[in-house]
């Protein structure tokens, strides 16, 4: 186990890191139009996936390398650095070749130590900064392990992204935030830039602000949010994407919260706590249901 991560490049503390852009790069026009709108909104990094890790085949799997050319144009024309997801060493090479300086590891990649190890080796020879999303399942060690593998390979420009954890069944969130795991991770890797992906936690536009608000309340360094010029036409994650103007609205509420003082804050805090409470109540009800089913089975089949 590593004793410390002292020399990880620290996050900026003066301004929040706002990463925004579409789930996927779909066309040059969609990318450039979204980027143009976001470049006026103080966005730190422009995100777009060009290789999409779909859980099941047969869905949109990304446009591939040509999307990197569009991201290069974003950097040149709008002065925003771009970031994309990498999952293989070929992705890393292509990303660097197209002049990108940042990439993230998706939740499915973080779950695979073989993949992470290979990526770590390839990244050690580059200058790319890398954000590690939490794994799909609530296993803090997989997340810590991925960061540790990268660190041991010499990667120092490292950040982490909390995107929630999958669970079986229907719930309020697409991925459960399980804030306690994220906070525990952060304590174990102090000083790492820590971002909340409020889009993949929420899974729907309505929850984006309350998740963002909770994250900023907990002292996260910033947010990753999916923004699409026409969310209804998005080829992936359409339900959770918002327009640039909805994004601006969300950011201004977050910024107001960070500055404190506005009366809206109390309402918003109350709403966030109510959301958390409702989620816990659903979980408690589920657990109670499971308990009574187990009791019945035990009584009927084993205790005569
Ligand atoms: C994404 O950011 O679009 C994505 C696929 O995310 P995750 O790896 O968190 O599912
Ligand atoms: Mn997505």
């Amino acid at each position: 186990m590593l004793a410390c991560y002292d020399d990880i490049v620290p996050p900026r503390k003066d301004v929040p890191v706002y990463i925004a852009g579409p789930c996927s790069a779909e066309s040059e026009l969609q990318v450039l139009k979204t980027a143009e709108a976001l470049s006026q909104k103080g966005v730190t990094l422009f995100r777009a996936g060009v290789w999409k890790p779909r859980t099941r085949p047969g869905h949109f799997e990304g446009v591939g390398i040509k999307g990197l050319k569009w991201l290069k144009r974003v950097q040149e024309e709008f002065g925003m650095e771009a970031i994309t997801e990498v999952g293989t060493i070929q992705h890393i090479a292509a990303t660097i070749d197209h002049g990108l300086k940042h990439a993230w590891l998706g939740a499915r990649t973080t779950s695979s130590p073989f993949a992470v190890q290979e990526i770590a080796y390839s990244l050690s020879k580059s200058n790319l900064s890398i954000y590690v999303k939490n794994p799909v399942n609530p296993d803090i060690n997989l997340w810590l392990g991925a960061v540790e593998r990268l660190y041991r390979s010499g990667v120092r420009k490292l950040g982490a992204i909390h995107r929630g954890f999958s669970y079986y069944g229907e719930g309020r969130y697409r991925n459960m935030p399980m804030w306690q795991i994220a906070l525990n991770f952060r304590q174990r890797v102090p000083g790492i830039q820590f971002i909340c992906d409020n889009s993949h936690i929420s899974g729907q536009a309505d929850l984006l602000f309350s998740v963002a608000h909770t994250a900023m309340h907990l002292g996260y360094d910033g947010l990753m949010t999916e923004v699409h010029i026409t969310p209804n036409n998005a080829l992936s994650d359409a339900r959770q994407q918002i327009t640039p103007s909805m994004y601006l609205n969300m950011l201004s509420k977050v910024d107001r919260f960070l500055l404190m003082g506005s009366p809206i804050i109390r309402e918003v805090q109350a709403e966030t706590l109510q959301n958390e409470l409702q989620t816990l109540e659903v979980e408690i009800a589920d657990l109670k249901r499971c308990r009574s089913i187990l009791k019945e089975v035990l009584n009927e089949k084993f205790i005569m």
Side-chain angles (χ1 to χ4, degrees), residues 177-220:
M178 300 190 185
W179 298 103
Q180 69 284 11
I181 298 183
L183 295 179
N184 192 353
F185 171 92
R186 197 175 186 194
Q187 261 176 1
R188 309 229 339 235
V189 194
I192 196 166
Q193 190 182 121
F194 204 62
I195 305 291
C196 174
D197 175 342
N198 55 335
S199 296
H200 287 87
I201 291 178
S202 303
Q204 52 173 304
D206 284 358
L207 288 178
L208 285 174
F209 177 65
S210 92
V211 173
H213 177 259
T214 305
M216 298 318 269
H217 193 68
L218 293 171
Y220 283 45

Side-chain angles (χ1 to χ4, degrees), residues 263-277:
I264 194 174
I265 294 309
R266 280 182 64 76
E267 285 164 35
V268 162
Q269 280 174 335
E271 191 194 315
T272 305
L273 291 176
Q274 269 158 9
N275 281 342
E276 295 296 312
L277 212 60

Side-chain angles (χ1 to χ4, degrees), residues 121-280:
Y121 180 66
S122 154
L123 284 172
S124 67
K125 292 178 279 163
S126 81
N127 204 22
L128 212 56
S129 87
I130 191 94
Y131 289 86
V132 182
K133 286 201 177 193
N134 67 256
V136 175
N137 54 326
D139 181 343
I140 193 171
N141 286 317
L142 274 175
W143 198 6
L144 288 169
V147 167
E148 202 178 332
R149 283 178 201 280
L150 293 164
Y151 186 85
R152 284 189 179 197
S153 296
V155 180
R156 293 295 179 269
K157 290 184 190 163
L158 263 177
I161 300 177
H162 171 212
R163 50 76 84 197
F165 302 90
S166 69
Y167 58 106
Y168 185 68
E170 292 293 310
R172 186 173 182 75
Y173 297 102
R174 176 176 176 193
N175 291 293
M176 272 288 183
M178 300 190 185
W179 298 103
Q180 69 284 11
I181 298 183
L183 295 179
N184 192 353
F185 171 92
R186 197 175 186 194
Q187 261 176 1
R188 309 229 339 235
V189 194
I192 196 166
Q193 190 182 121
F194 204 62
I195 305 291
C196 174
D197 175 342
N198 55 335
S199 296
H200 287 87
I201 291 178
S202 303
Q204 52 173 304
D206 284 358
L207 288 178
L208 285 174
F209 177 65
S210 92
V211 173
H213 177 259
T214 305
M216 298 318 269
H217 193 68
L218 293 171
Y220 283 45
D221 297 303
L223 301 168
M224 178 188 253
T225 311
E226 289 186 339
V227 182
H228 193 288
I229 201 79
T230 49
N232 292 339
N233 302 332
L235 298 180
S236 59
D237 289 350
R239 273 188 70 211
Q240 70 197 30
Q241 302 206 59
I242 51 175
T243 62
S245 70
M246 290 160 81
Y247 178 69
L248 177 65
N249 192 271
M250 184 197 84
L251 274 200
S252 67
K253 285 203 273 175
V254 170
D255 283 339
R256 231 173 318 157
F257 161 71
L258 292 175
L259 287 172
M260 291 302 288
S262 153
I264 194 174
I265 294 309
R266 280 182 64 76
E267 285 164 35
V268 162
Q269 280 174 335
E271 191 194 315
T272 305
L273 291 176
Q274 269 158 9
N275 281 342
E276 295 296 312
L277 212 60
Q278 267 184 26
T279 309
L280 284 177

